[in-house]
Amino acid sequence: MLVQFDLNPPESLDADIEAFWSQQIQLESEMLANDEVRAPRIVFSSPDPNEQETLVEMRAFAEARVRGVWQMRDELDREVGGYLRNWSIYRLGTVERNVLRLGAWELRNCPDIPAPILVNEAIDLAKFFSETKSGKFVNGVLDNLAKDIRRPKAETFTPEAK
């Protein structure tokens, strides 16, 4: 969704998010009609209530990230750009740029998820949607960013009052 919005910015984020999900349902219907099987596969049209509940949770999870990243993209671009050596954020591939944005957003806004897990997920996304070497690049940038964002705050010494 972020890559799509980066290439074709939404006029209305809410409407374009709904259009994205509708498009996914349509693609799934066409794949099922043609007996095409692709893994991983999400079943948007399953009558199973458990699968529908999972889908609702997945959509909420994805939409929270998309909304957060999209609203903060300029700030995230500046932040990530500080970790690119001799490179600008807009010279990156669209997938890599958005994986880095997402990773930076999650590092800032998901303190309950350990940084190594967030970085590893970003690496997997980059490899899956781009190419294997993108994972190394994403790892280098986000690992350095994570060290700065998640660095424990220095405690100041204060003598105990007696």
Side-chain angles (χ1 to χ4, degrees):
M1 205 177 313
L2 286 170
V3 168
Q4 183 173 321
F5 291 171
D6 196 18
L7 294 171
N8 187 18
E11 291 181 27
S12 164
L13 190 58
D14 291 337
D16 285 14
I17 286 173
E18 279 308 311
F20 175 86
W21 292 120
S22 294
Q23 180 184 38
Q24 299 310 303
I25 293 167
Q26 178 63 33
L27 290 170
E28 180 189 70
S29 289
E30 290 170 9
M31 283 176 35
L32 292 173
N34 295 329
D35 285 334
E36 294 178 32
V37 177
R38 279 186 3 203
R41 190 171 125 204
I42 298 170
V43 181
F44 291 99
S45 54
S46 172
D48 183 341
N50 291 329
E51 286 184 16
Q52 285 301 310
E53 184 177 328
T54 300
L55 181 59
V56 167
E57 291 170 7
M58 181 204 68
R59 282 182 64 160
F61 179 90
E63 288 179 22
R65 279 151 176 75
V66 167
R67 289 175 194 285
V69 169
W70 193 253
Q71 291 168 353
M72 292 181 63
R73 70 187 176 285
D74 292 336
E75 180 183 334
L76 295 168
D77 287 354
R78 282 189 298 278
E79 186 169 46
V80 168
Y83 292 86
L84 303 175
R85 297 198 198 314
N86 302 318
W87 209 257
S88 77
I89 191 88
Y90 288 99
R91 288 185 62 203
L92 299 178
T94 310
V95 169
E96 290 80 2
R97 180 172 47 252
N98 284 285
V99 168
L100 288 171
R101 284 173 175 164
L102 176 61
W105 184 87
E106 288 183 323
L107 285 167
R108 288 224 165 268
N109 296 286
C110 303
D112 56 319
I113 304 173
I117 291 173
L118 294 176
V119 172
N120 204 34
E121 290 296 321
I123 292 166
D124 288 345
L125 284 172
K127 287 179 181 178
F128 184 82
F129 288 107
S130 187
E131 52 186 302
T132 303
K133 66 182 177 180
S134 293
K136 291 179 184 178
F137 174 74
V138 165
N139 181 40
V141 174
L142 287 182
D143 186 54
N144 287 322
L145 182 62
K147 287 174 186 171
D148 288 342
I149 289 176
R150 298 278 180 100
R151 178 180 300 156
K153 305 234 184 305
E155 293 185 30
T156 56
F157 175 74
T158 54
E160 292 183 44
K162 292 188 178 183

